Coordinates of all heavy atoms in Angstrom, one line a residue:
M1 N 0.8 -1.2 0.0 CA 0.0 0.0 0.0 C 0.9 1.3 0.0 O 1.9 1.3 0.7 CB -0.9 0.0 1.2 CG -1.9 1.1 1.3 SD -2.9 1.0 2.9 CE -3.3 -0.6 3.2
T2 N 0.6 2.3 -0.8 CA 1.4 3.4 -0.9 C 1.2 4.3 0.4 O 0.2 4.1 1.1 CB 1.0 4.3 -2.1 OG1 -0.4 4.8 -2.0 CG2 1.1 3.5 -3.4
D3 N 2.1 5.2 0.6 CA 1.9 6.1 1.8 C 0.7 6.9 1.7 O 0.0 7.1 2.7 CB 3.2 6.9 1.9 CG 4.4 6.2 2.5 OD1 4.3 5.1 3.0 OD2 5.5 6.8 2.4
L4 N 0.3 7.4 0.5 CA -0.9 8.3 0.4 C -2.1 7.4 0.7 O -3.0 7.9 1.5 CB -1.0 8.8 -1.0 CG -2.2 9.7 -1.2 CD1 -2.3 10.9 -0.3 CD2 -2.3 10.1 -2.7
A5 N -2.2 6.2 0.3 CA -3.3 5.3 0.6 C -3.4 5.0 2.1 O -4.5 5.1 2.6 CB -3.2 4.0 -0.2
R6 N -2.3 4.8 2.7 CA -2.3 4.6 4.1 C -2.8 5.8 4.9 O -3.5 5.8 5.9 CB -0.9 4.3 4.6 CG -0.5 2.9 4.2 CD 0.9 2.4 4.4 NE 1.3 2.6 5.8 CZ 2.6 2.4 6.2 NH1 3.5 2.3 5.3 NH2 2.8 2.5 7.4
Q7 N -2.4 7.1 4.4 CA -2.8 8.3 5.1 C -4.3 8.5 5.0 O -4.9 9.0 5.8 CB -2.1 9.5 4.5 CG -0.5 9.5 5.0 CD 0.2 10.6 4.3 OE1 -0.3 11.7 4.1 NE2 1.5 10.3 3.9
L8 N -4.8 8.1 3.8 CA -6.3 8.3 3.6 C -7.0 7.4 4.4 O -8.2 7.5 4.7 CB -6.6 8.1 2.1 CG -6.1 9.2 1.2 CD1 -6.3 8.8 -0.3 CD2 -6.7 10.4 1.5
R9 N -6.4 6.3 4.9 CA -7.0 5.3 5.8 C -6.8 5.6 7.3 O -6.9 4.7 8.2 CB -6.6 3.9 5.6 CG -7.0 3.4 4.2 CD -6.7 1.9 4.1 NE -7.2 1.4 2.8 CZ -7.2 0.1 2.5 NH1 -6.7 -0.8 3.3 NH2 -7.7 -0.2 1.3
D10 N -6.4 6.9 7.6 CA -6.2 7.4 8.9 C -4.9 7.0 9.5 O -4.8 7.0 10.8 CB -7.4 7.2 9.8 CG -7.4 8.2 10.9 OD1 -6.9 9.4 10.7 OD2 -7.9 7.9 12.0
Y11 N -3.9 6.6 8.8 CA -2.6 6.3 9.3 C -2.0 7.8 9.6 O -2.2 8.7 8.9 CB -1.7 5.6 8.4 CG -1.9 4.1 8.5 CD1 -3.0 3.5 7.9 CD2 -0.9 3.2 9.0 CE1 -3.2 2.1 8.0 CE2 -1.1 1.9 9.2 CZ -2.2 1.4 8.6 OH -2.4 0.0 8.7
R12 N -1.2 7.8 10.7 CA -0.6 9.1 11.0 C 0.9 8.9 11.2 O 1.3 7.9 11.5 CB -1.1 9.6 12.3 CG -2.6 9.8 12.4 CD -3.2 9.8 13.7 NE -4.6 10.0 13.7 CZ -5.2 11.1 14.0 NH1 -4.5 12.2 14.3 NH2 -6.5 11.2 13.9
L13 N 1.6 10.1 10.9 CA 3.1 10.0 11.2 C 3.3 9.8 12.7 O 2.8 10.6 13.5 CB 3.7 11.3 10.8 CG 5.2 11.4 10.9 CD1 5.9 10.3 10.1 CD2 5.8 12.7 10.5
T14 N 4.0 8.8 13.1 CA 4.2 8.4 14.5 C 5.6 8.4 14.8 O 6.4 7.8 14.1 CB 3.6 7.1 14.9 OG1 2.2 7.1 14.5 CG2 3.6 6.7 16.3
T15 N 6.0 9.1 15.9 CA 7.4 9.1 16.3 C 7.5 8.6 17.7 O 6.8 9.0 18.6 CB 8.0 10.7 16.3 OG1 7.8 11.1 14.9 CG2 9.4 10.6 16.6
A16 N 8.4 7.7 17.9 CA 8.6 7.1 19.3 C 10.1 7.3 19.8 O 10.9 7.0 18.9 CB 8.2 5.6 19.3
E17 N 10.3 7.8 20.9 CA 11.6 7.8 21.6 C 11.7 6.6 22.4 O 10.9 6.5 23.4 CB 11.9 9.1 22.3 CG 13.3 9.1 22.8 CD 13.5 10.3 23.9 OE1 12.5 10.9 24.2 OE2 14.6 10.5 24.1
I18 N 12.6 5.6 22.1 CA 12.7 4.5 22.9 C 14.0 4.5 23.7 O 15.0 4.7 23.1 CB 12.8 3.3 21.8 CG1 11.5 3.2 21.0 CG2 12.9 1.9 22.6 CD1 11.5 2.2 19.8
L19 N 13.8 4.4 25.0 CA 15.0 4.3 25.9 C 15.1 2.9 26.2 O 14.2 2.2 26.6 CB 14.7 5.1 27.2 CG 14.7 6.6 27.1 CD1 14.4 7.3 28.4 CD2 15.9 7.2 26.4
Y20 N 16.4 2.4 26.1 CA 16.7 1.0 26.5 C 18.1 1.0 27.2 O 18.9 1.9 27.1 CB 16.8 0.2 25.2 CG 17.9 0.6 24.2 CD1 19.0 -0.1 24.2 CD2 17.7 1.6 23.3 CE1 20.0 0.2 23.3 CE2 18.6 1.9 22.4 CZ 19.8 1.3 22.4 OH 20.8 1.6 21.5
H21 N 18.2 -0.2 27.9 CA 19.5 -0.4 28.7 C 20.5 -0.9 27.8 O 20.2 -1.8 26.9 CB 19.2 -1.4 29.8 CG 18.2 -0.9 30.8 ND1 18.6 -0.2 32.0 CD2 16.9 -1.1 31.0 CE1 17.5 0.2 32.7 NE2 16.6 -0.4 32.1
M22 N 21.7 -0.4 27.8 CA 22.7 -0.9 26.9 C 23.1 -2.3 27.4 O 23.3 -2.6 28.6 CB 24.0 0.0 27.0 CG 23.7 1.4 26.4 SD 25.1 2.5 26.4 CE 26.1 1.6 25.3
P23 N 23.3 -3.3 26.5 CA 23.5 -4.6 26.9 C 24.8 -4.8 27.7 O 24.8 -5.6 28.6 CB 23.6 -5.3 25.5 CG 22.9 -4.5 24.5 CD 23.2 -3.1 25.0
D24 N 25.9 -4.1 27.3 CA 27.2 -4.3 28.0 C 27.2 -3.5 29.3 O 28.1 -3.8 30.2 CB 28.3 -3.9 27.2 CG 28.5 -4.8 25.9 OD1 27.9 -5.9 26.0 OD2 29.0 -4.4 24.9
H25 N 26.4 -2.4 29.4 CA 26.4 -1.6 30.6 C 25.0 -1.4 31.0 O 24.4 -0.2 30.7 CB 27.1 -0.3 30.4 CG 28.5 -0.4 29.9 ND1 29.6 -0.8 30.7 CD2 29.0 -0.4 28.6 CE1 30.7 -0.8 30.0 NE2 30.4 -0.7 28.7
P26 N 24.3 -2.3 31.7 CA 22.8 -2.2 32.0 C 22.4 -0.9 32.8 O 21.3 -0.5 32.8 CB 22.5 -3.5 32.8 CG 23.6 -4.4 32.5 CD 24.8 -3.5 32.2
A27 N 23.3 -0.3 33.5 CA 23.1 0.9 34.3 C 22.9 2.1 33.4 O 22.3 3.2 33.8 CB 24.1 1.2 35.3
L28 N 23.4 2.0 32.1 CA 23.3 3.2 31.2 C 22.1 3.0 30.2 O 21.8 1.9 29.8 CB 24.6 3.3 30.3 CG 25.9 3.6 31.1 CD1 27.0 3.6 30.2 CD2 25.8 4.9 31.9
L29 N 21.5 4.1 30.0 CA 20.3 4.2 29.0 C 20.8 4.8 27.7 O 21.5 5.7 27.7 CB 19.1 5.0 29.6 CG 18.4 4.4 30.8 CD1 17.3 5.3 31.3 CD2 17.8 3.0 30.4
Q30 N 20.3 4.3 26.6 CA 20.5 4.7 25.3 C 19.2 5.1 24.6 O 18.1 4.5 25.0 CB 21.2 3.7 24.4 CG 21.5 4.1 23.0 CD 22.8 4.7 22.9 OE1 23.7 4.7 23.9 NE2 23.1 5.4 21.8
S31 N 19.2 6.2 23.8 CA 18.0 6.6 23.2 C 18.0 6.2 21.7 O 19.0 6.2 21.0 CB 17.9 8.2 23.2 OG 16.8 8.6 22.6
F32 N 16.7 5.8 21.2 CA 16.6 5.4 19.8 C 15.3 6.0 19.3 O 14.2 6.0 20.0 CB 16.5 3.9 19.7 CG 16.3 3.4 18.3 CD1 17.3 3.2 17.4 CD2 15.0 3.0 17.9 CE1 17.1 2.8 16.1 CE2 14.8 2.6 16.6 CZ 15.8 2.5 15.7
I33 N 15.4 6.7 18.2 CA 14.2 7.3 17.6 C 13.7 6.6 16.4 O 14.4 6.2 15.5 CB 14.5 8.8 17.1 CG1 15.1 9.7 18.2 CG2 13.2 9.4 16.5 CD1 14.1 9.9 19.3
W34 N 12.3 6.2 16.5 CA 11.7 5.4 15.5 C 10.6 6.3 15.0 O 9.9 7.0 15.6 CB 11.1 4.2 16.1 CG 10.3 3.3 15.2 CD1 10.7 2.3 14.5 CD2 8.9 3.3 15.1 NE1 9.7 1.6 13.8 CE2 8.5 2.4 14.1 CE3 7.9 4.1 15.5 CZ2 7.2 2.2 13.7 CZ3 6.6 4.0 15.1 CH2 6.2 3.0 14.2
Q35 N 10.4 6.2 13.6 CA 9.4 7.0 12.9 C 8.8 6.2 11.8 O 9.5 5.7 11.0 CB 9.9 8.3 12.5 CG 8.9 9.3 12.1 CD 9.4 10.7 11.8 OE1 10.4 10.8 11.0 NE2 8.9 11.7 12.4
D36 N 7.4 6.1 11.7 CA 6.8 5.5 10.5 C 5.3 5.9 10.6 O 4.8 6.5 11.5 CB 6.8 4.0 10.8 CG 6.6 3.2 9.5 OD1 6.3 3.8 8.5 OD2 6.9 2.0 9.5
L37 N 4.6 5.5 9.6 CA 3.1 5.8 9.5 C 2.5 4.6 10.3 O 2.7 3.5 10.1 CB 2.6 5.8 8.0 CG 3.0 6.9 7.3 CD1 2.5 6.8 5.8 CD2 2.5 8.3 7.8
D38 N 1.5 5.1 11.2 CA 0.9 4.0 12.1 C -0.4 4.5 12.4 O -0.8 5.7 12.2 CB 1.7 3.9 13.4 CG 1.5 2.5 13.9 OD1 0.7 1.7 13.5 OD2 2.2 2.2 14.9
M39 N -1.4 3.6 12.8 CA -2.8 3.9 13.1 C -3.0 4.1 14.6 O -2.9 3.1 15.3 CB -3.7 2.8 12.4 CG -5.1 3.2 12.6 SD -6.1 2.0 11.7 CE -5.8 2.2 10.0
A40 N -3.4 5.2 15.0 CA -3.8 5.5 16.3 C -5.2 5.0 16.6 O -6.0 4.8 15.7 CB -3.7 7.0 16.7
P41 N -5.6 4.5 17.8 CA -4.8 4.5 19.0 C -4.1 3.1 19.3 O -3.5 3.0 20.4 CB -5.9 4.7 20.1 CG -7.1 4.0 19.5 CD -6.9 4.2 18.0
H42 N -4.3 2.2 18.4 CA -3.6 0.9 18.7 C -2.2 0.6 18.4 O -1.5 -0.2 18.8 CB -4.5 -0.3 18.1 CG -6.0 -0.2 18.5 ND1 -6.3 -0.5 19.8 CD2 -7.1 0.1 17.9 CE1 -7.6 -0.4 20.0 NE2 -8.1 0.0 18.7
Y43 N -1.7 1.5 17.3 CA -0.3 1.4 16.9 C 0.2 0.1 16.5 O 1.1 -0.4 17.2 CB 0.5 2.2 17.8 CG 0.1 3.6 18.2 CD1 -0.5 3.9 19.4 CD2 0.3 4.6 17.3 CE1 -1.0 5.1 19.6 CE2 -0.1 5.9 17.5 CZ -0.8 6.2 18.6 OH -1.2 7.4 18.9
P44 N -0.4 -0.7 15.5 CA 0.0 -1.9 15.2 C 1.5 -2.0 14.7 O 2.2 -3.0 15.0 CB -1.0 -2.5 14.2 CG -1.5 -1.2 13.6 CD -1.5 -0.2 14.7
V45 N 1.9 -1.1 13.9 CA 3.2 -1.1 13.4 C 4.3 -0.9 14.5 O 5.3 -1.6 14.6 CB 3.4 0.0 12.3 CG1 4.8 0.0 11.7 CG2 2.4 -0.1 11.2
L46 N 4.0 0.0 15.4 CA 4.9 0.2 16.5 C 5.0 -1.0 17.4 O 6.0 -1.5 17.9 CB 4.6 1.4 17.3 CG 5.3 1.7 18.6 CD1 6.9 1.9 18.2 CD2 4.9 2.9 19.4
K47 N 3.9 -1.7 17.6 CA 3.8 -2.9 18.5 C 4.6 -4.0 17.8 O 5.4 -4.8 18.5 CB 2.4 -3.3 18.7 CG 1.6 -2.4 19.7 CD 0.2 -2.9 20.0 CE -0.4 -2.1 21.0 NZ -1.9 -2.5 21.2
R48 N 4.5 -4.2 16.5 CA 5.3 -5.2 15.8 C 6.8 -5.0 16.0 O 7.6 -5.9 16.2 CB 4.9 -5.3 14.4 CG 3.8 -6.2 14.0 CD 3.6 -6.5 12.5 NE 3.6 -5.3 11.7 CZ 2.6 -4.7 11.3 NH1 1.3 -5.0 11.8 NH2 2.7 -3.6 10.4
F49 N 7.1 -3.6 15.8 CA 8.6 -3.3 16.0 C 9.1 -3.6 17.4 O 10.2 -4.2 17.6 CB 8.8 -1.8 15.6 CG 10.2 -1.3 15.8 CD1 11.2 -1.7 15.0 CD2 10.5 -0.7 17.0 CE1 12.5 -1.3 15.1 CE2 11.8 -0.2 17.1 CZ 12.8 -0.5 16.2
L50 N 8.3 -3.2 18.4 CA 8.7 -3.4 19.8 C 8.7 -4.9 20.1 O 9.6 -5.4 20.9 CB 7.8 -2.7 20.8 CG 7.8 -1.2 20.7 CD1 6.9 -0.6 21.7 CD2 9.2 -0.7 21.0
D51 N 7.8 -5.7 19.5 CA 7.8 -7.2 19.8 C 9.1 -7.8 19.1 O 9.8 -8.7 19.7 CB 6.6 -7.8 19.1 CG 5.3 -7.5 19.9 OD1 5.4 -7.2 21.1 OD2 4.3 -7.7 19.3
Y52 N 9.5 -7.2 18.0 CA 10.7 -7.7 17.2 C 11.9 -7.4 18.1 O 12.8 -8.2 18.3 CB 10.8 -7.1 15.9 CG 12.1 -7.4 15.3 CD1 12.4 -8.5 14.6 CD2 13.2 -6.4 15.3 CE1 13.6 -8.8 13.9 CE2 14.5 -6.6 14.7 CZ 14.7 -7.8 14.1 OH 15.8 -8.0 13.5
W53 N 11.9 -6.2 18.7 CA 13.0 -5.7 19.5 C 13.2 -6.6 20.7 O 14.3 -7.1 21.0 CB 12.7 -4.2 20.1 CG 13.8 -3.6 20.8 CD1 14.3 -4.1 22.0 CD2 14.4 -2.4 20.5 NE1 15.3 -3.2 22.5 CE2 15.4 -2.2 21.6 CE3 14.5 -1.5 19.6 CZ2 16.3 -1.1 21.7 CZ3 15.3 -0.4 19.6 CH2 16.2 -0.3 20.7
Q54 N 12.1 -6.9 21.5 CA 12.2 -7.7 22.6 C 12.6 -9.2 22.3 O 13.3 -9.8 23.1 CB 10.8 -7.8 23.4 CG 10.5 -6.4 24.0 CD 9.3 -6.4 24.7 OE1 8.3 -7.1 24.3 NE2 9.1 -5.5 25.7
R55 N 12.2 -9.7 21.1 CA 12.6 -11.1 20.8 C 14.0 -11.2 20.3 O 14.7 -12.2 20.5 CB 11.7 -11.6 19.6 CG 10.4 -12.0 20.1 CD 9.6 -12.7 18.9 NE 9.7 -12.2 17.6 CZ 9.0 -11.3 17.2 NH1 7.9 -10.8 17.8 NH2 9.2 -10.8 15.9
N56 N 14.5 -10.2 19.5 CA 15.8 -10.3 18.8 C 17.0 -9.5 19.3 O 18.2 -9.7 18.9 CB 15.5 -10.1 17.3 CG 14.6 -11.1 16.8 OD1 14.7 -12.3 17.0 ND2 13.6 -10.6 16.0
L57 N 16.7 -8.5 20.0 CA 17.8 -7.5 20.5 C 18.1 -7.7 21.9 O 17.2 -8.0 22.7 CB 17.5 -6.1 20.1 CG 17.2 -5.8 18.6 CD1 16.8 -4.4 18.5 CD2 18.3 -6.1 17.7
D58 N 19.4 -7.4 22.3 CA 19.8 -7.7 23.6 C 19.5 -6.5 24.5 O 19.3 -6.7 25.8 CB 21.3 -7.9 23.7 CG 21.8 -9.1 23.1 OD1 21.0 -10.0 23.1 OD2 22.9 -9.2 22.6
G59 N 19.2 -5.3 24.1 CA 19.0 -4.1 24.9 C 17.5 -4.2 25.5 O 16.6 -4.2 24.8
K60 N 17.5 -4.3 26.8 CA 16.1 -4.4 27.5 C 15.5 -3.0 27.4 O 16.1 -2.0 27.7 CB 16.3 -4.8 28.9 CG 15.0 -5.0 29.6 CD 15.2 -5.4 31.1 CE 13.9 -5.4 31.8 NZ 14.0 -5.7 33.2
L61 N 14.1 -3.0 27.0 CA 13.5 -1.7 26.9 C 13.2 -1.1 28.3 O 12.8 -1.7 29.3 CB 12.1 -2.0 26.3 CG 12.1 -2.4 24.9 CD1 10.6 -2.6 24.3 CD2 12.8 -1.3 23.9
H62 N 13.4 0.2 28.4 CA 13.1 0.9 29.6 C 11.8 1.7 29.5 O 10.9 1.6 30.4 CB 14.3 1.9 29.9 CG 14.1 2.8 31.1 ND1 13.5 4.1 31.0 CD2 14.4 2.6 32.4 CE1 13.3 4.5 32.3 NE2 14.0 3.7 33.0
S63 N 11.7 2.5 28.4 CA 10.4 3.3 28.2 C 10.2 3.8 26.8 O 11.2 3.8 26.0 CB 10.4 4.5 29.1 OG 11.5 5.4 28.8
V64 N 9.0 4.1 26.4 CA 8.7 4.6 25.1 C 7.9 5.8 25.2 O 6.8 5.8 25.9 CB 8.0 3.5 24.3 CG1 7.6 4.0 22.9 CG2 8.8 2.2 24.2
K65 N 8.3 6.9 24.6 CA 7.6 8.1 24.5 C 7.0 8.3 23.1 O 7.7 8.0 22.1 CB 8.4 9.3 24.8 CG 8.8 9.5 26.2 CD 9.6 10.7 26.5 CE 10.2 10.9 27.8 NZ 11.0 12.1 28.0
L66 N 5.7 8.6 23.0 CA 5.0 8.6 21.7 C 4.5 9.9 21.3 O 3.9 10.6 22.2 CB 4.0 7.5 21.7 CG 3.2 7.2 20.5 CD1 4.1 6.4 19.6 CD2 2.1 6.2 20.9
A67 N 4.6 10.3 20.0 CA 4.0 11.6 19.5 C 3.5 11.2 18.1 O 4.0 10.4 17.4 CB 5.0 12.7 19.4
T68 N 2.2 11.7 17.8 CA 1.6 11.4 16.5 C 1.0 12.7 15.9 O 0.6 13.6 16.7 CB 0.6 10.3 16.7 OG1 0.1 9.9 15.5 CG2 -0.5 10.8 17.6
Q69 N 1.0 12.6 14.7 CA 0.4 13.9 13.9 C -0.2 13.4 12.6 O 0.4 12.7 11.8 CB 1.5 14.9 13.6 CG 1.1 16.1 12.8 CD 0.0 16.9 13.5 OE1 0.2 17.2 14.7 NE2 -1.0 17.3 12.8
G70 N -1.4 13.8 12.4 CA -2.1 13.4 11.1 C -1.5 14.3 10.0 O -1.3 15.5 10.2
L71 N -1.2 13.7 8.9 CA -0.6 14.5 7.8 C -1.6 15.2 6.9 O -1.4 16.2 6.3 CB 0.4 13.6 7.0 CG 1.6 13.0 7.7 CD1 2.4 12.2 6.9 CD2 2.5 14.1 8.3
I72 N -2.7 14.5 6.7 CA -3.7 15.1 5.8 C -4.8 15.6 6.7 O -5.5 14.9 7.5 CB -4.3 13.9 4.9 CG1 -3.3 13.4 4.0 CG2 -5.5 14.5 4.2 CD1 -3.7 12.3 3.0
A73 N -5.0 17.0 6.6 CA -6.0 17.6 7.5 C -6.6 18.7 6.7 O -6.0 19.2 5.6 CB -5.2 18.2 8.7
P74 N -7.7 19.3 7.1 CA -8.3 20.4 6.4 C -7.4 21.6 6.4 O -6.5 21.8 7.3 CB -9.5 20.7 7.2 CG -9.8 19.6 8.2 CD -8.5 18.9 8.3
A75 N -7.4 22.4 5.4 CA -6.6 23.6 5.3 C -6.9 24.6 6.4 O -8.1 24.7 6.7 CB -6.8 24.2 3.9
E76 N -5.9 25.3 6.8 CA -6.1 26.3 7.9 C -6.5 27.6 7.3 O -5.8 28.0 6.3 CB -4.8 26.4 8.8 CG -5.0 27.4 9.8 CD -3.8 27.5 10.6 OE1 -3.2 26.5 11.0 OE2 -3.3 28.7 10.9
V77 N -7.5 28.2 7.6 CA -8.0 29.6 7.1 C -7.8 30.6 8.2 O -8.2 30.5 9.3 CB -9.4 29.5 6.6 CG1 -9.9 30.8 6.1 CG2 -9.6 28.4 5.6
R78 N -7.1 31.7 7.8 CA -7.0 32.8 8.6 C -7.5 34.1 8.0 O -7.2 34.2 6.8 CB -5.5 33.0 9.1 CG -5.0 31.9 9.9 CD -3.6 32.1 10.3 NE -2.7 32.0 9.2 CZ -1.5 32.6 9.1 NH1 -1.1 33.3 10.1 NH2 -0.8 32.5 8.0
L79 N -8.0 35.0 8.8 CA -8.3 36.3 8.3 C -7.1 37.3 8.2 O -6.2 37.2 9.0 CB -9.4 37.0 9.1 CG -10.8 36.2 9.2 CD1 -11.7 36.9 10.1 CD2 -11.4 36.2 7.8
V80 N -7.0 37.9 7.2 CA -5.9 38.8 6.9 C -6.3 40.3 7.3 O -7.4 40.8 6.8 CB -5.4 38.8 5.5 CG1 -4.2 39.8 5.2 CG2 -4.9 37.4 5.1
A81 N -5.5 40.9 8.1 CA -5.9 42.3 8.6 C -5.6 43.4 7.5 O -6.3 44.3 7.4 CB -5.1 42.6 9.8
A82 N -4.6 43.1 6.6 CA -4.3 44.1 5.6 C -3.7 43.4 4.4 O -3.1 42.3 4.5 CB -3.2 45.1 6.2
E83 N -3.9 44.1 3.3 CA -3.3 43.6 2.0 C -2.4 44.7 1.4 O -2.9 45.8 1.3 CB -4.5 43.2 1.1 CG -4.0 42.7 -0.2 CD -5.1 42.3 -1.1 OE1 -6.2 41.9 -0.6 OE2 -4.9 42.4 -2.4
L84 N -1.2 44.4 1.1 CA -0.3 45.4 0.5 C 0.0 45.0 -1.0 O 0.2 43.7 -1.2 CB 1.0 45.4 1.3 CG 0.9 45.7 2.8 CD1 2.2 45.6 3.4 CD2 0.3 47.1 2.9
R85 N 0.1 46.0 -1.9 CA 0.4 45.6 -3.3 C 1.7 46.4 -3.7 O 1.8 47.7 -3.3 CB -0.7 46.1 -4.2 CG -1.9 45.2 -4.1 CD -3.0 45.6 -5.0 NE -4.2 44.8 -4.7 CZ -4.9 44.3 -5.7 NH1 -4.6 44.6 -7.0 NH2 -6.0 43.6 -5.5
L86 N 2.6 45.9 -4.3 CA 3.8 46.5 -4.8 C 3.6 46.4 -6.3 O 3.4 45.4 -7.0 CB 5.0 45.7 -4.4 CG 5.3 45.8 -2.9 CD1 6.5 44.9 -2.7 CD2 5.5 47.2 -2.4
H87 N 3.8 47.6 -7.0 CA 3.8 47.7 -8.5 C 5.2 47.8 -9.1 O 6.1 48.3 -8.6 CB 3.0 49.0 -8.9 CG 1.7 48.9 -8.5 ND1 0.7 48.4 -9.3 CD2 1.0 49.4 -7.5 CE1 -0.5 48.5 -8.8 NE2 -0.3 49.1 -7.6

């Protein structure tokens, strides 16, 4: 499915900051930024990624911060106080 088709099905740009424990130094946290189109509020793409992480990577997850924004939205209309013309 193309990105435009996914956006028309209410997929949104989703960004996750993933904090995880470094495998060699568990007391230290490392940050990883993940971004993809995903569907709120269940986030199936992010859940698949985090499941993959837990099954295959050594760094234990600490926390995940999530931000999302719809890319296709109605146009914003604002009133203009003045109009200037240059000849």
Side-chain angles (χ1 to χ4, degrees):
M1 184 181 324
T2 66
D3 285 345
L4 179 59
R6 289 169 60 189
Q7 291 174 36
L8 291 173
R9 292 185 177 192
D10 203 28
Y11 277 74
R12 301 163 181 255
L13 182 63
T14 303
T15 304
E17 179 186 17
I18 301 167
L19 291 178
Y20 64 96
H21 296 274
M22 293 183 68
D24 295 338
H25 306 283
L28 297 177
L29 292 176
Q30 182 83 17
S31 176
F32 178 79
I33 302 295
W34 174 91
Q35 191 173 53
D36 203 349
L37 292 175
D38 208 351
M39 188 178 290
H42 302 293
Y43 303 104
V45 179
L46 177 60
K47 284 183 181 179
R48 276 196 307 269
F49 177 75
L50 293 176
D51 288 343
Y52 173 83
W53 183 300
Q54 290 178 332
R55 283 191 319 271
N56 298 312
L57 300 179
D58 292 333
K60 182 180 174 189
L61 294 176
H62 177 270
S63 63
V64 178
K65 291 182 186 177
L66 190 64
T68 185
Q69 175 65 43
L71 297 177
I72 297 179
E76 183 179 315
V77 177
R78 294 183 292 155
L79 297 175
V80 177
E83 181 179 332
L84 302 174
R85 292 182 183 219
L86 294 175
H87 294 272

